Amino acid sequence: MIKTPIYFDNNATTPVNENVLQAMLPYFSHNFGNASSNTHAFGWVAMEAVKEARNQVATFIGASPDEITFTSGATEAINMALCGAFDVYAAKGNHIITVQTEHKAVLDTLSYLEKKGAVVTRLPVSRDGLIDLEMLEKSINPKTILIAVMYANNETGVLQPISDIGKMAHQREVLFLCDATQAAGKVLFNVDDINADLLCLSAHKYYGPKGAGALYIRRKNPKVKITPYIYGGGHENGLRSGTLNVPAIVGFGKSSELAGNNWWDYAFHTSNLRTRLEQNLLELGDVFCNGTSKNRLPNTSNLTIKGVKSGQLISALPFIAFSTGSACSSANPEPSHVLLAMGLSKEEANCSVRFSLGINNTAEEINFALDKIKEAVGRLRK
Ligand SMILES: *Cc1c(COP(=O)(O)O)cnc(C)c1O
């Protein structure tokens, strides 16, 4: 028997892994200390736990622990990186380059910085979702201080050529901010290989708790500086004051360790299921897949099902949890900015759905969902 509802929305968030939960629990109860209390054992225990988590996160991305700043998640890390770097490097220039298909955390923060004097270039993408490296190179000018490009797109799973982007940024002495929120735990990378100067992570996208994430800030070659984001007490190297969320940070550390060890299993498992789901839906006819087939996350399938409005399909299948694209903007019914940037018409974008699979999904769930989706598509197309 299949247990419903079935969860196919793992790019929006994932369930907390059982081992992660077990690691967190003591820090809600007997190990409840404040990690900044350095005069007694309650504080020392919490401080040790935070130290271990910082090591686990750093190891996961090939950084050193002093390059990790804990935040409430990727949105905060992105705000901190963009606003903080703009403050420090404004003397050098005010030009920032990004891509039209970035997460709203990047795009909305940059719109805010435009009001503060930033000049922002938003690069287009091709039909398969990739940027053109030559166009990127041409858009760099002497006033360019930062390039922000996501590793993996949350709606389509498209992977940008980020090592090339990072290399180009470093050659031109421009900072590279990489939003690796969706890539983490699904593909293997380290901050040196991709030449990232600033990089963000979020625990809840890879089986950790919500409300925990990090900003990686490179300490050498080059030493990157940003201004503080939250004032008051000097926590996190003075960048982000406030009492640390110790249980969440412990869970984040554990989920990073598990992702580092198991990313291949996650990728292998989800890509097998994804292939089965996608191939079968493509066979329906008048269905196409959005995002390059060559460089895509293993778990994500973004499909346009012609003649079927995504909202109608989602309502017809209440026992399957999937989405129209990003969870963050589904409060407004606008067609996806990612799909429009890829050249889909409004009509096509409105007939597009995202399935994002996770480690807990099974072949039985895929088979069950396929039957129901095929039936619903047939009915809605009539
Ligand atoms: C989820 C997500 C974010 C935001 O992360 P939060 O930790 O939920 O704030 C940013 N970028 C991408 C690509 C994401 O998928």
Side-chain angles (χ1 to χ4, degrees):
M1 263 304 280
I2 296 284
K3 198 167 149 272
T4 56
I6 296 174
Y7 191 67
F8 286 167
D9 205 12
N10 288 271
N11 286 11
T13 195
T14 56
V16 171
N17 172 289
E18 183 57 34
N19 293 323
V20 170
L21 177 64
Q22 290 307 324
M24 290 171 70
L25 288 177
Y27 296 91
F28 287 106
S29 50
H30 48 280
N31 297 341
F32 64 85
N34 185 323
S36 304
S37 299
N38 57 14
T39 54
H40 52 67
F42 294 90
W44 301 331
V45 167
M47 201 183 302
E48 253 329 290
V50 168
K51 189 175 166 195
E52 187 187 349
R54 206 183 298 279
N55 279 329
Q56 288 166 320
V57 173
T59 304
F60 176 47
I61 59 170
S64 69
D66 64 350
E67 295 177 311
I68 302 298
T69 300
F70 287 122
T71 67
S72 66
T75 302
E76 185 188 320
I78 289 165
N79 274 265
M80 182 185 230
L82 289 172
C83 297
F86 183 69
D87 272 348
V88 171
Y89 296 89
K92 185 191 164 203
N94 61 350
H95 181 228
I96 297 175
I97 301 170
T98 190
V99 183
Q100 290 171 6
T101 51
E102 289 297 298
H103 193 273
K104 291 285 182 183
V106 169
L107 296 175
D108 290 353
T109 307
L110 289 176
S111 300
Y112 162 76
L113 288 178
E114 276 179 320
K115 292 184 204 135
K116 304 266 159 186
V119 173
V120 178
T121 300
R122 296 171 181 81
L123 295 172
V125 294
S126 63
R127 193 66 170 75
D128 56 13
L130 293 166
I131 65 161
D132 177 357
L133 287 170
E134 264 176 50
M135 198 186 285
L136 171 62
E137 175 126 57
K138 282 192 193 121
S139 66
I140 301 174
N141 69 46
K143 289 206 166 268
T144 309
I145 52 171
L146 186 140
I147 298 172
V149 182
M150 72 202 319
Y151 196 146
N153 187 276
N154 47 306
E155 294 191 30
T156 60
V158 166
L159 300 169
Q160 297 292 351
I162 53 160
S163 345
D164 297 332
I165 296 167
K167 201 193 280 173
M168 189 182 290
H170 273 192
Q171 277 164 0
R172 304 288 294 265
E173 292 184 23
V174 173
L175 298 179
F176 174 40
L177 163 63
C178 182
D179 174 359
T181 312
Q182 285 296 340
K186 301 183 183 115
V187 295
L188 189 66
F189 67 90
N190 78 58
V191 288
D192 286 332
D193 287 348
I194 64 175
N195 287 300
D197 296 303
L198 296 154
L199 179 140
C200 65
L201 297 172
S202 182
H204 77 95
K205 300 291 175 77
Y206 55 97
Y207 311 104
K210 291 162 191 63
L215 178 63
Y216 157 81
I217 307 170
R218 181 174 288 282
R219 292 271 177 234
K220 56 176 194 281
N221 310 317
K223 178 169 170 55
V224 177
K225 289 202 193 107
I226 66 168
T227 51
Y229 191 63
I230 300 178
Y231 295 89
H235 309 71
E236 296 298 280
N237 269 321
L239 294 178
R240 203 260 189 189
S241 289
T243 303
L244 291 176
N245 184 349
V246 178
I249 288 170
V250 166
F252 179 30
K254 189 70 187 170
S255 73
S256 298
E257 182 189 89
L258 292 174
N261 294 336
N262 303 330
W263 71 274
W264 170 252
D265 293 338
Y266 295 175
F268 186 77
H269 178 75
T270 55
S271 79
N272 280 333
L273 297 181
R274 197 262 308 265
T275 303
R276 185 195 291 244
L277 179 71
E278 195 169 275
Q279 290 307 326
N280 275 281
L281 292 178
L282 289 172
E283 277 168 20
L284 282 173
D286 281 328
V287 175
F288 59 85
C289 176
N290 296 305
T292 173
S293 54
K294 290 191 207 85
N295 262 312
R296 208 157 40 114
L297 286 178
N299 77 319
T300 308
S301 187
N302 189 306
L303 298 172
T304 302
I305 304 176
K306 286 194 180 165
V308 181
K309 289 266 185 297
S310 50
Q312 286 183 330
L313 188 61
I314 288 167
S315 310
L317 299 166
F319 39 80
I320 307 176
F322 62 111
S323 70
T324 54
S326 91
C328 319
S329 49
S330 50
N332 59 22
E334 287 291 296
S336 150
H337 73 282
V338 173
L339 298 179
L340 294 181
M342 289 165 68
L344 273 73
S345 68
K346 268 194 172 180
E347 174 66 20
E348 288 168 331
N350 282 330
C351 293
S352 302
V353 288
R354 177 187 71 182
F355 299 97
S356 50
L357 307 179
I359 192 66
N360 297 323
N361 290 130
T362 63
E364 291 69 40
E365 288 178 335
I366 300 286
N367 293 342
F368 174 86
L370 272 169
D371 278 351
K372 303 291 180 191
I373 298 167
K374 283 179 179 171
E375 190 268 327
V377 167
R379 191 153 36 86
L380 292 168
R381 272 180 172 168
K382 281 218 189 85

